[in-house]
Amino acid sequence: MITIEFNEVKQSFYGRHIFGPLTAQLKGGQITAVTGANGSGKSTFLKLAGHLLRPAQGTVTVKTESGELTQAALRQHLAMVTPELRFYDRLTARENMAFFLGLRGLSLTEAAYRKILDRVELPASAVDHVYTGEFSTGMRQRLKMAVLLACQADIWLLDEPGANLDEAGRAMVAREVQAAAAQNVLVALATNDPGEEALAHACIALAGN
Ligand SMILES: Nc1ncnc2c1ncn2[C@@H]1O[C@H](COP(=O)(O)OP(=O)(O)O)[C@@H](O)[C@H]1O
Ligand SMILES: [Mg+2]
């Protein structure tokens, strides 16, 4: 089982305290909600969890059965949905998917690709032929979920995944998050949405300043 351990982590930027000291463990098979007001450090927490930011103090350790993962090894396990992920406007959604998966050495068979589009409820006609720049924000969010699913990662870092999604979209996220946890994926879910919070087995509440 995969775990992420925060040990006495204190985060600050330019001397300004954000949160901590925080000690917490996130586990494979569990959905952990990371909650708190705007600016409380939810997105920062996810970056620390993914070793995309070094803590100002304390340690963040990711372990599998075979021991601690290095930053490079961790990347093979990670998939993320964050506002920072941007698609190329003048590529079709399909080309964007192929590009981001290609960076990870992955490609999809036609059947697997169609299956993922079905799961995120995106019409193949749009994904195959429409420039991503013409997508609505909700469609782009669904495309981010599609890339996430295609990665087959065992750590999911989701930063407000339901943002910009309609009710059906939020239900899709809930379904996929629960299915992933049932497959032992470690899910960290930064959210302010009570519906998303209700999915979680554990909650890390960041107080805010
Ligand atoms: N790279 C950074 N440099 C300086 N300040 C940052 C940086 N990243 C985040 N912050 C600050 O840290 C605080 C927490 O940000 P964030 O993690 O985005 O909060 P949340 O996701 O809960 O809204 C904010 O005040 C933000 O301005
Ligand atoms: Mg945030």
Side-chain angles (χ1 to χ4, degrees):
M1 184 181 62
I2 206 146
T3 58
I4 302 180
E5 288 170 26
F6 280 61
N7 186 26
E8 294 290 313
V9 173
K10 258 187 172 177
Q11 192 56 42
S12 57
F13 291 108
Y14 307 107
R16 190 164 64 88
H17 177 76
I18 308 296
F19 65 71
L22 174 72
T23 296
Q25 193 185 44
L26 292 81
K27 293 182 191 161
Q30 286 203 347
I31 302 164
T32 305
V34 182
T35 64
N38 291 337
S40 60
K42 299 180 297 299
S43 300
T44 299
F45 180 98
L46 293 188
K47 284 174 204 157
L48 290 166
H51 287 189
L52 298 163
L53 172 70
R54 271 176 282 278
Q57 277 183 49
T59 55
V60 178
T61 315
V62 186
K63 289 183 189 152
T64 63
E65 286 87 354
S66 35
E68 188 176 335
L69 293 178
T70 62
Q71 185 191 43
L74 170 59
R75 279 191 207 125
Q76 305 299 317
H77 292 265
L78 271 185
M80 309 178 70
V81 168
T82 81
E84 277 145 344
L85 171 61
R86 285 258 305 151
F87 293 114
Y88 291 95
D89 283 349
R90 300 288 280 181
L91 293 182
T92 66
R94 183 171 189 152
E95 288 167 336
N96 267 304
M97 261 185 94
F99 174 73
F100 282 103
L101 293 176
L103 289 179
R104 301 184 61 138
L106 298 171
S107 63
L108 290 175
T109 63
E110 189 64 23
Y113 169 73
R114 299 277 155 187
K115 203 166 168 190
I116 286 178
L117 293 190
D118 274 354
R119 279 164 71 185
V120 301
E121 296 161 352
L122 275 176
S125 55
V127 180
D128 289 353
H129 304 297
V130 177
Y131 284 150
T132 313
E134 291 172 39
F135 269 25
S136 69
T137 44
M139 285 171 81
R140 242 174 258 144
Q141 192 69 2
R142 287 169 186 268
L143 189 62
K144 289 182 186 183
M145 284 297 295
V147 175
L148 173 94
L149 297 177
C151 286
Q152 299 205 323
D154 54 6
I155 299 177
W156 285 13
L157 304 178
L158 308 181
D159 198 348
E160 310 199 32
N164 302 312
L165 286 179
D166 55 20
E167 204 174 314
R170 288 196 298 274
M172 175 275 290
V173 169
R175 197 163 59 235
E176 292 298 345
V177 160
Q178 285 178 313
Q183 299 287 317
N184 279 330
V185 172
L186 182 161
V187 183
L189 182 60
T191 186
N192 268 312
D193 178 90
E196 281 178 357
E197 230 180 293
L199 299 172
H201 306 104
C203 180
I204 296 169
L206 304 175
N209 296 310

